[in-house]
């Protein structure tokens, strides 16, 4: 039987790339590998025009809209939730689109009698770090590290998404029917959304879902330079420069973006691995982080962090790992879980690309191969 895969945000930059690649891979396997064949559905507010991807239109902030769009196509095996508000969102947008939207997607797709894997797009911005007053607590940032208390609505909303998914998974484990997730009113604790998510304790054949929270780094175009980040919601392309020292601490929202850069090809490959039918099914919640193999920076991590946050505030950050010889340009996020759980290691090394292109431009020579 073909697996059914739902991708939300299928008209966005990342969602469209993933759906296109999955459809191409699926089309190549048609008739030759039935175990790996799948039906791919792309859900967005706008029609999805990707060949071999079934277009579904819905607003994730409206559970009735989602249920109406999904009702003829239920029983998804994998749900890749990429839809959401971008980093410049207001608090209201973050809560309605990222937090409530995620909960609506889970409510509208969850079948407690079926093995289902959910891949939820979180972000390295989950810590909400903002210079110069709200630094991360330590580097590398661990997968369990959360919001540091800044006024960045997007970071807060992504932290809340992770908390909501963890809460829902825990409610499944406990078999709770009275947690009031979006309840439909009345005295019946199984009414409304609660019926879809929380009716677990009286079903002997209930199957817990496998939730994978994927903290995605700053997605940028593949080489050559300059790197660009596409904001499809507003139709703007932003050029990403390598991180560097500043003369004095400056106010900036998530200055770590270039330090967390990851190539589009790498993150799509990571997402494909999350959908792999041979991957172990692990009920509960896992968190993994995907960033590039080194930081996109002209200076060592410790130097740029001290300049961004000031020596006093930066002194509160545990950066002993990056002070060690050989670790000066290592990722500022813990990527071991991505390799352990998914077998994913990013290949495109932007720092190496930067030096190769510099050598080519200034010396007219190619110093050797790199992942570009």
């Amino acid at each position: 039987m073909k697996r059914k895969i739902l991708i939300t945000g299928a008209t966005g930059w990342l969602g469209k790339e993933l759906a296109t690649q999955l459809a191409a891979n699926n089309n190549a396997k048609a008739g030759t590998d039935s175990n790996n064949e799948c039906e791919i559905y792309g859900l967005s507010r706008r029609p999805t025009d990707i060949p071999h991807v079934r277009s579904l239109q819905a607003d994730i902030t409206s559970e009735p809209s989602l249920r109406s769009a999904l009702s003829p196509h239920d029983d998804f095996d994998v749900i890749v939730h990429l839809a959401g508000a971008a980093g410049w969102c207001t608090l209201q947008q973050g809560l309605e689109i990222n937090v409530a939207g995620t909960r609506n997607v889970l409510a509208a797709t969850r079948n407690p009698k079926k093995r289902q894997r959910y891949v939820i797009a979180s972000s390295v911005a989950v810590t909400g770090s903002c210079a110069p007053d709200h630094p991360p607590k330590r580097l590398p940032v661990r997968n369990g590290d959360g919001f540091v208390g800044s006024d960045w609505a997007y970071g807060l909303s992504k932290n809340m998404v992770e908390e909501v998914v963890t809460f829902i998974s825990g409610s499944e484990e406990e078999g709770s029917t009275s947690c009031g997730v979006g309840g439909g009113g009345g005295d019946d604790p199984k009414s409304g959304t609660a019926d879809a998510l929380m009716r677990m304790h009286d079903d002997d054949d209930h199957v817990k879902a496998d939730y994978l929270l994927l903290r995605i780094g700053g997605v940028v175009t593949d080489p050559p330079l300059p790197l660009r980040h596409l904001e499809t919601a507003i139709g703007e392309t932003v050029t990403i420069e390598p991180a560097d020292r500043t003369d004095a601490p400056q106010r900036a929202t998530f200055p770590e973006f270039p330090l967390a850069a990851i190539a589009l090809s790498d993150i799509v490959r990571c997402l494909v691995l999350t959908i792999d039918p041979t991957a172990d099914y692990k009920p509960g919640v896992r968190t993994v982080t995907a960033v590039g193999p080194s930081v996109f920076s002209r200076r060592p991590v410790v130097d740029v962090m001290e300049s961004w946050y000031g020596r006093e505030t930066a002194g509160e950050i545990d950066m002993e790992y990056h002070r060690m010889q050989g670790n000066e340009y290592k990722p500022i996020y813990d990527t071991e879980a991505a390799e352990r759980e998914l077998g994913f290691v990013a290949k495109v090394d932007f720092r190496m690309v930067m030096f190769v292109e510099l050598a080519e431009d200034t010396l007219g020579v190619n110093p050797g191969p790199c992942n570009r």
Side-chain angles (χ1 to χ4, degrees):
M1 177 179 292
K2 291 183 178 180
R3 294 189 307 147
K4 298 177 71 172
I5 299 174
L6 174 67
I7 302 171
T8 72
T11 57
W13 188 29
L14 186 51
K16 187 172 184 177
E17 288 288 336
L18 174 63
T20 300
Q21 181 164 324
L22 287 179
N25 294 346
N26 191 50
N27 196 43
K29 296 173 183 174
T32 62
D33 189 357
S34 59
N35 290 330
N36 285 330
E37 287 186 47
C38 54
E39 296 178 4
I40 305 167
Y41 296 78
L43 183 142
S44 185
R45 290 176 299 173
R46 304 184 300 276
T48 302
D49 59 355
I50 304 169
H52 309 295
V53 175
R54 300 190 184 189
S55 178
L56 302 175
Q57 283 184 261
D59 180 355
I60 65 170
T61 66
S62 167
E63 187 180 340
S65 172
L66 272 171
R67 289 192 180 279
S68 176
L70 296 174
S71 59
H73 314 285
D74 57 359
D75 286 347
F76 292 103
D77 297 282
V78 182
I79 297 89
V80 184
H81 179 41
L82 301 176
W88 40 262
C89 68
T90 64
L91 178 59
Q92 181 176 350
Q93 291 170 329
L95 295 176
E96 292 180 354
I97 301 173
N98 292 344
V99 183
T102 296
R103 167 245 177 241
N104 289 342
V105 169
L106 268 58
T109 57
R110 184 71 179 102
N111 182 348
K113 295 184 179 181
K114 183 182 182 67
R115 285 164 58 112
Q116 291 177 296
R117 171 169 295 141
Y118 286 85
V119 182
I120 312 293
S122 185
S123 170
V124 292
V126 70
T127 57
S129 54
C130 294
D133 301 320
H134 298 282
K137 295 180 180 179
R138 57 183 172 181
L139 300 181
V141 175
R142 310 299 197 271
N143 290 314
D145 291 351
F147 194 66
V148 297
S150 69
D151 60 357
W152 189 21
Y154 176 76
L156 174 64
S157 73
K158 283 299 185 179
N159 185 76
M160 294 176 70
V161 165
E162 295 191 359
E163 295 290 342
V164 166
V165 172
T166 302
F167 176 81
I168 289 173
S169 176
S171 298
E172 286 189 21
E173 183 174 2
E174 297 299 326
S176 169
T177 61
S178 59
C179 62
V181 178
D187 296 328
D188 181 6
K190 296 182 182 180
S191 62
T193 304
D195 185 40
L197 288 174
M198 308 303 176
R199 62 187 177 194
M200 313 303 184
H201 73 291
D202 55 359
D203 288 339
D204 293 336
D205 55 352
H206 164 246
V207 180
K208 278 200 67 179
D210 179 353
Y211 296 99
L212 182 70
L213 294 167
L214 179 58
R215 291 184 172 183
I216 299 174
V219 181
V220 294
T221 51
D222 282 66
L225 303 181
L227 305 183
R228 293 181 173 88
H229 174 73
L230 178 62
E231 289 284 7
T232 53
I234 56 176
E236 291 188 4
T237 300
V238 181
T239 299
I240 305 300
E241 298 290 344
D244 206 345
R245 287 184 57 89
T246 55
D247 293 334
Q250 298 178 3
R251 189 162 298 281
T253 298
F254 194 56
E256 292 86 2
F257 188 103
L259 299 180
I262 183 168
L264 178 62
S265 62
D266 271 336
I267 194 59
V268 170
R269 181 168 56 86
C270 180
L271 285 164
V272 170
L273 289 172
T274 70
I275 301 169
D276 187 345
T278 65
D280 291 339
Y281 187 84
K282 297 185 178 182
V285 180
R286 294 173 287 161
T287 303
V288 302
T289 301
V291 296
S294 68
V295 295
F296 183 47
S297 178
R298 292 192 176 95
R299 301 286 298 172
V301 167
V302 174
D303 287 355
V304 296
M305 293 294 285
E306 287 181 345
S307 71
W308 291 345
Y309 289 95
R311 283 190 174 273
E312 183 176 350
T313 300
E316 301 172 4
I317 309 171
D318 180 355
M319 295 191 286
E320 289 307 308
Y321 174 82
H322 286 91
R323 295 184 190 278
M324 297 172 60
Q325 186 174 2
N327 293 348
E328 296 93 336
Y329 295 91
K330 290 289 183 69
I332 65 168
Y333 291 86
D334 185 355
T335 60
E336 290 183 2
E339 182 174 5
R340 182 180 66 251
E341 298 290 337
L342 304 174
F344 172 74
V345 177
K347 296 179 179 180
V348 181
D349 189 332
F350 291 122
R351 183 168 176 270
M352 181 64 70
V353 170
M354 177 174 60
F355 282 110
V356 167
E357 293 196 4
L358 178 63
E360 290 175 343
D361 291 342
T362 58
L363 303 177
V365 298
N366 188 334
C370 68
N371 290 314
R372 53 183 297 188

